[in-house]
Amino acid sequence: MGRLDFLYRMELPHRAVAVYLYLYDRANRDGECWPSIPTIARELKLSESTVRRAIQDLKKAELLVTEQRYRARGGKSSLLFHIRKP
């Protein structure tokens, strides 16, 4: 049984599976990564709105937690993604 078999057995849209695999591949030992939505979209060849929907799918399935990051002067930075496993 593979490490991600749980993902393939879940009733998730293909967009969510693709985004989860992308984030999983880029996460550090703590399951964290912070690519921007435009970067994810470009590298997966998806639209930004599709990536946002996939992120919502993963949050609803409790496979992903996001945290807004901010720059030193208070402007928004990319999201911090926390990958979770069931």
Side-chain angles (χ1 to χ4, degrees):
M1 187 147 99
R3 291 182 298 177
L4 297 174
D5 280 349
F6 71 90
L7 183 65
Y8 308 127
R9 288 192 305 266
M10 296 181 79
E11 295 294 324
L12 290 171
H14 65 278
R15 66 181 179 234
V17 172
V19 170
Y20 185 90
L21 292 172
Y22 178 89
L23 296 173
Y24 183 90
D25 185 51
R26 282 149 180 80
N28 62 18
R29 261 189 253 165
D30 297 324
E32 299 175 339
C33 59
W34 43 90
S36 69
I37 289 175
T39 298
I40 298 168
R42 183 180 66 252
E43 292 189 359
L44 290 178
K45 296 168 182 56
L46 299 172
S47 70
E48 291 181 26
S49 60
T50 298
V51 171
R52 285 187 186 91
R53 284 193 302 274
I55 290 168
Q56 291 306 313
D57 295 335
L58 294 169
K59 288 169 72 172
K60 185 176 177 183
E62 298 182 350
L63 292 175
L64 184 67
V65 175
T66 61
E67 180 182 328
Q68 183 63 60
R69 297 182 327 139
Y70 294 92
R71 300 184 193 290
R73 292 184 173 221
K76 285 186 178 180
S77 182
S78 61
L79 292 173
L80 174 62
F81 296 99
H82 299 274
I83 303 295
R84 299 180 66 197
K85 296 178 189 174

